[in-house]
Amino acid sequence: MAVGVTGRVAVVTGAARGIGAATVRALAADGWSVLAVDIAAGDPDLPYPLGSTADLAAVVADAPDRVHPFVADVRDPDAVEAAVGMAENRWGGVGCRDRLCRRDCGRPAALAGTGGRTAGGARRQPRCVLTLARAAIPALLRRPRPRHGRFLAVASAAATRGLPDLAAYCAAKAGVAGLIRALGRELGGTGITANAVSPGSTDTPILAESARLYGLPNAEAFAAQQPIGRLLEPREIAAVLAFLAGPGSSGMTGAVVPVDGGLAL
């Protein structure tokens, strides 16, 4: 398949629904070629359903000329390596392919880990982001200098704000934030940056599961805890991730950007 018009290639995990799906759509609308990665199957360890093959197909259908699906479990290092390899093979490498690219063009590759789980799956989140980093960052570094790459992750307001009955989730998201800060230092001078967003209560299936754990009637009950007085939409988180993937974030690395409606205040 030909490279996208701008030559920008992204790999997005957790792409079948929620913030991941919104991120795929935002990047594709901005001209990126996107490999949309998701397990697209249930997990017997979790008491709620994950995204399905139909969900992933619907995301691809919104921009079939730019988005390609890839079914993989991000807990499996071999599967993540295969996903990154697919992006390299399909679009001729993970990175900016524009031969007229200037050193400061800011047209990078982006590797975005957007999947999230609560309850039993929370403990796996830092490991999943680390697995993605171990596969993605070497691919970004394989690009010739001057290179431009973005490694992005989704933390949570729970990384800095303690939430009752969700100790494992809070610890997991704090781990993601710490990993991003460390990567920001380690990647200094390489042309690759690492940043994250830290969402507040966002209208996703995971928030509905949190409502169930707390015995609340629905996810909307969480809106009152945010100063903006409403739940966030996945597209609002995705918009900031798209910004972090683009040229405007060239001076940022190791940052964990709150997109939380004021929840952490």
Side-chain angles (χ1 to χ4, degrees):
M1 177 178 176
V3 178
V5 173
T6 62
R8 293 174 294 179
V9 177
V11 176
V12 178
T13 64
R17 64 182 187 178
I19 294 171
T23 301
V24 172
R25 292 181 173 114
L27 291 174
D30 197 30
W32 292 73
S33 297
V34 185
L35 189 71
V37 181
D38 201 279
I39 191 172
D43 185 332
D45 293 336
L46 298 178
Y48 57 93
L50 298 179
S52 65
T53 53
D55 293 327
L56 186 59
V59 174
V60 174
D62 285 343
D65 57 330
R66 292 199 175 277
V67 181
H68 183 75
F70 191 94
V71 175
D73 186 341
V74 294
R75 296 171 296 182
D76 180 353
D78 291 337
V80 176
E81 288 278 2
V84 173
M86 168 66 80
E88 290 185 288
N89 293 333
R90 187 175 182 85
W91 290 294
V94 179
C96 181
R97 304 291 294 174
D98 188 341
R99 295 183 182 276
L100 300 180
C101 176
R102 297 179 292 110
R103 184 176 184 84
D104 61 348
C105 74
R107 288 189 260 178
L111 287 298
T114 63
R117 301 179 182 191
T118 188
R123 295 175 183 86
R124 301 170 183 162
Q125 289 181 39
R127 183 186 302 176
C128 292
V129 177
L130 182 58
T131 297
L132 179 60
R134 284 173 169 164
I137 290 173
L140 294 172
L141 291 173
R142 282 194 286 271
R143 300 297 305 138
R145 290 180 179 270
R147 64 173 73 91
H148 308 276
R150 307 282 193 260
F151 183 82
L152 307 176
V154 175
S156 169
T160 55
R161 173 177 172 143
L163 301 177
D165 300 322
L166 287 176
Y169 184 77
C170 293
K173 290 303 189 179
V176 172
L179 176 62
I180 288 298
R181 286 191 287 267
L183 286 174
R185 292 298 302 266
E186 290 181 14
L187 292 169
T190 66
I192 313 300
T193 62
N195 293 294
V197 295
S198 187
S201 295
T202 306
D203 191 10
T204 65
I206 290 176
L207 191 65
E209 171 61 11
S210 296
R212 185 191 69 80
L213 289 174
Y214 283 131
L216 299 174
N218 52 49
E220 193 64 35
F222 288 109
Q225 68 182 340
Q226 299 188 149
I228 63 172
R230 62 172 176 83
L231 299 181
L232 294 156
E233 294 294 331
R235 59 180 172 77
E236 294 178 291
I237 315 303
V240 180
L241 284 166
F243 163 77
L244 290 172
S249 71
S250 59
M252 300 171 63
T253 195
V256 182
V257 182
V259 191
D260 61 6
L263 177 60
L265 294 176

